[in-house]
Amino acid sequence: MIPVPVVVTVLGGWCAVYLADTLLKSSNSLKASYEDWLVTYGLSVSPFHLRWQTALFNRQFYNWGRWKPRFLYLWFSIGMVFGIVAMFGSVILLGKTLLQTLTQMLTEAPKAQNDRMLQVVVSLLSSGLCLRAVPGVNLPVSQLTYFFSAILISGVIHEVGHGVAAIREQVRFNGFGIFIFIVYPGAFVDLFTTHLQLISPVQQLRIFCAGVWHNFVLGVASFMVLFLLPAILFPFYYTGVGALVTEVTEDSPASGPRGLFVGDLVTNLQDCPVYNVEDWNSCLGDISEKSQVGYCVSAATLQQLSFPARVYRRLDGTVECCSNNSLTDICFSYSNKLDSHLYACLPARKVIEASEVCRTNMDCHKDFVPSFCVTPSLENQTRLIRVKHPPHIDMLYVGHPMHLQYTVSLSSFVPRQNFLSIDLPVVIETFCKYLISLSGALAVINAVPCFALDGQWILNSFLEATLSSLIVEKHNRELLGFLILLAGSALLAANVALGLWMVTAR
């Protein structure tokens, strides 16, 4: 659910703005001056919508539109081809996404909360439906700055594409503006409609496809920065030596005197080496999916460390043999030649620190010393994980591996000097990822042949450019376009509705 304070703040803020606007416009003494002020600064206010338009950037847009005409012609011609392909591709992509979602709803049992959130994120990145990212529901509050900044930049680059292409095609440019709808920022350009109607359908296509094309280019550029980031930051940061801890939440099971601290470098999880954040996530995934590893303990050590304790079964069927509520002892299970179900309550750190990991007793038969492979007897999905972060003492973590993943933030970049920020690479990485996903989302959504989106005008211009000789009557072409737009709008609405339902209702 969306946090109540967020809802109250947003609704209260918009009510205050709209109430002030209504009172000022109804005041006999202030109405004229207030409306003049709005016109002077290009502002307009309506329910949940604030809009600002200016001509301050017109000269810059005209300079861009007249720069290297041949290059711009080639640039926007490539964008036109991309936009047409994207229009058809977006329909296929949304259709496939809708079928997969419906199939899952009909055939699968409801998933756990974490799985549902993961599915929504994957759906966002794969289908480009940025409307499935709901602040306060499946978007962390700490990520809101990245989210809204990426949306605004993607929107500005999108509209710059339309504006420059329009000037290149001799369409009058009236102004550029920014708006806020509820909490989502965006941008727009004001073009002279009569000029748009007079130019050829191919020229219209270059203009209408320019926004989608620029979003694609922005996504590719962001991906290249993300891919080359180790090389770009090489003079200041090095990689490949471990995962650097940048944040440990207060409620994290990894916090505490023998836990992880900001600046620690994690090099191993159990026997899984960690060279970067991807390795950290991969190792935790493997640990979660596979059974708990054991530790080689000699028979003499086992006899020395163990002490008698009552054995009882938990509700999930697992066995507990440490009944003293100790924070240092864990119940271990092992087998010998006579009995395959033996249990011993042992001090975890003494057992693990000088031991090798194992799966069976055969892994421990070395140097002819009788040894056993003792395995922690823990509840289902719970794991005992040894985290190495030298030069500090190893952290022993007992719990679900995903809790460790969600409450500890890491970076693959290690500063070469102490005065360098450990957060800078994380900020760049995160922002690039948001630009890739949200700019791609705008490209996919705007390419859909749907009412009020770029896809509507791309489709109409495409039909005029390709079918005018086959379908002579203009109203017949308009009817065909209307039916396609109706189907595209229904397809997009179904995807968005199911996406929001998956986030909020399930």
Side-chain angles (χ1 to χ4, degrees):
M1 292 294 292
I2 300 177
V4 174
V6 174
V7 176
V8 172
T9 301
V10 172
L11 292 179
W14 278 112
C15 288
V17 170
Y18 187 65
L19 180 61
D21 178 71
T22 303
L23 291 176
L24 289 171
K25 287 181 178 179
S26 60
S27 172
N28 293 329
S29 59
L30 299 176
K31 178 180 179 180
S33 59
Y34 174 65
E35 291 181 345
D36 289 341
W37 180 79
L38 290 177
V39 172
T40 301
Y41 289 97
L43 295 170
S44 63
V45 181
S46 58
F48 301 104
H49 189 271
L50 183 63
R51 176 184 174 117
W52 171 69
Q53 181 176 336
T54 181
L56 292 174
F57 306 108
N58 285 20
R59 182 179 295 276
Q60 185 60 57
F61 270 91
Y62 275 101
N63 290 336
W64 288 337
R66 293 165 181 168
W67 176 78
K68 295 188 180 299
R70 289 182 178 274
F71 171 79
L72 290 181
Y73 173 81
L74 179 61
W75 177 260
F76 289 117
S77 295
I78 296 174
M80 176 184 66
V81 175
F82 174 82
I84 295 172
V85 173
M87 179 180 64
F88 291 103
S90 65
V91 173
I92 296 173
L93 185 61
L94 292 182
K96 182 179 178 181
T97 303
L98 182 62
L99 288 176
Q100 289 177 343
T101 304
L102 290 175
T103 302
Q104 179 182 312
M105 290 171 57
L106 295 174
T107 60
E108 293 186 3
K111 295 188 175 184
Q113 181 70 14
N114 291 335
D115 293 336
R116 293 205 303 269
M117 291 306 175
L118 178 61
Q119 179 189 12
V120 171
V121 173
V122 171
S123 180
L124 164 64
L125 296 179
S126 62
S127 69
L129 289 179
C130 65
L131 292 178
R132 289 189 181 185
V134 183
V137 178
N138 67 327
L139 188 68
V141 176
S142 60
Q143 305 273 307
L144 291 182
T145 302
Y146 297 109
F147 180 77
F148 290 122
S149 298
I151 283 185
L152 181 59
I153 291 175
S154 299
V156 169
I157 296 299
H158 180 101
E159 296 302 327
V160 166
H162 286 312
V164 174
I167 293 172
R168 167 65 183 76
E169 302 299 335
Q170 306 299 317
V171 174
R172 193 174 81 187
F173 182 85
N174 295 327
F176 168 82
I178 292 176
F179 67 87
I180 297 177
F181 176 68
I182 306 179
V183 294
Y184 293 95
F188 64 92
V189 290
D190 183 14
L191 305 178
F192 192 50
T193 306
T194 303
H195 284 183
L196 271 174
Q197 295 172 345
L198 292 176
I199 61 178
S200 69
V202 174
Q203 290 178 297
Q204 292 175 358
L205 278 172
R206 292 196 192 100
I207 297 173
F208 297 141
C209 294
V212 172
W213 170 238
H214 275 213
N215 278 137
F216 172 75
V217 172
L218 176 61
V220 171
S222 302
F223 177 81
M224 293 302 297
V225 171
L226 185 64
F227 180 76
L228 297 174
L229 194 58
I232 296 172
L233 297 180
F234 180 77
F236 310 102
Y237 299 85
Y238 57 92
T239 59
V241 295
L244 184 70
V245 178
T246 59
E247 182 185 7
V248 180
T249 61
E250 293 182 2
D251 59 344
S252 172
S255 62
R258 291 194 175 182
L260 297 176
F261 295 90
V262 174
D264 287 354
L265 191 65
V266 178
T267 59
N268 283 83
L269 291 174
Q270 302 287 40
D271 57 340
C272 183
V274 175
Y275 300 105
N276 49 47
V277 176
E278 288 73 22
D279 289 341
W280 162 274
N281 294 328
S282 177
C283 290
L284 285 177
D286 289 342
I287 292 172
S288 178
E289 293 174 1
K290 296 178 180 179
S291 59
Q292 173 71 56
V293 298
Y295 303 89
C296 293
V297 179
S298 66
T301 303
L302 182 61
Q303 184 177 6
Q304 178 186 0
L305 294 179
S306 64
F307 54 88
R310 183 171 61 91
V311 175
Y312 62 93
R313 292 190 177 275
R314 303 186 184 96
L315 294 177
D316 62 353
T318 58
V319 173
E320 175 61 76
C321 60
C322 293
S323 56
N324 58 353
N325 296 322
S326 172
L327 298 178
T328 60
D329 300 334
I330 290 179
C331 181
F332 288 84
S333 65
Y334 66 99
S335 63
N336 57 22
K337 295 181 180 179
L338 301 177
D339 196 342
S340 60
H341 298 287
L342 298 174
Y343 298 92
C345 186
L346 305 172
R349 189 169 294 277
K350 290 183 180 181
V351 169
I352 293 174
E353 286 188 339
S355 305
E356 296 181 358
V357 296
C358 57
R359 293 290 179 180
T360 65
N361 287 339
M362 296 298 295
D363 299 330
C364 302
H365 289 171
K366 297 179 180 179
D367 301 327
F368 303 101
V369 177
S371 299
F372 299 101
C373 183
V374 299
T375 304
S377 179
L378 302 170
E379 295 177 282
N380 290 337
Q381 306 301 321
T382 302
R383 298 289 185 271
L384 170 60
I385 305 174
R386 181 181 182 182
V387 182
K388 293 185 178 181
H389 54 125
H392 307 287
I393 188 172
D394 295 350
M395 181 187 78
L396 301 183
Y397 167 80
V398 178
H400 197 290
M402 293 301 102
H403 294 165
L404 187 61
Q405 186 177 24
Y406 292 151
T407 58
V408 178
S409 300
L410 303 104
S411 170
S412 300
F413 295 84
V414 181
R416 294 184 181 275
Q417 303 294 334
N418 293 332
F419 63 86
L420 293 173
S421 171
I422 64 175
D423 295 321
L424 178 61
V426 177
V427 170
I428 298 175
E429 275 187 314
T430 307
F431 188 61
C432 285
K433 290 176 181 178
Y434 269 94
L435 276 180
I436 294 169
S437 61
L438 293 177
S439 189
L442 285 179
V444 172
I445 290 176
N446 276 284
V448 178
C450 172
F451 292 109
L453 296 178
D454 287 349
Q456 175 182 357
W457 315 114
I458 294 173
L459 175 67
N460 290 337
S461 300
F462 178 75
L463 294 179
E464 289 295 322
T466 58
L467 298 183
S468 56
S469 59
L470 297 177
I471 304 177
V472 180
E473 296 294 335
K474 184 177 179 62
H475 69 273
N476 289 336
R477 295 195 300 271
E478 292 177 347
L479 177 61
L480 175 62
F482 174 80
L483 295 176
I484 295 175
L485 289 174
L486 197 62
S489 300
L491 179 62
L492 180 60
N495 271 276
V496 173
L498 286 179
L500 291 175
W501 178 79
M502 288 167 61
V503 173
T504 58
R506 294 184 64 179

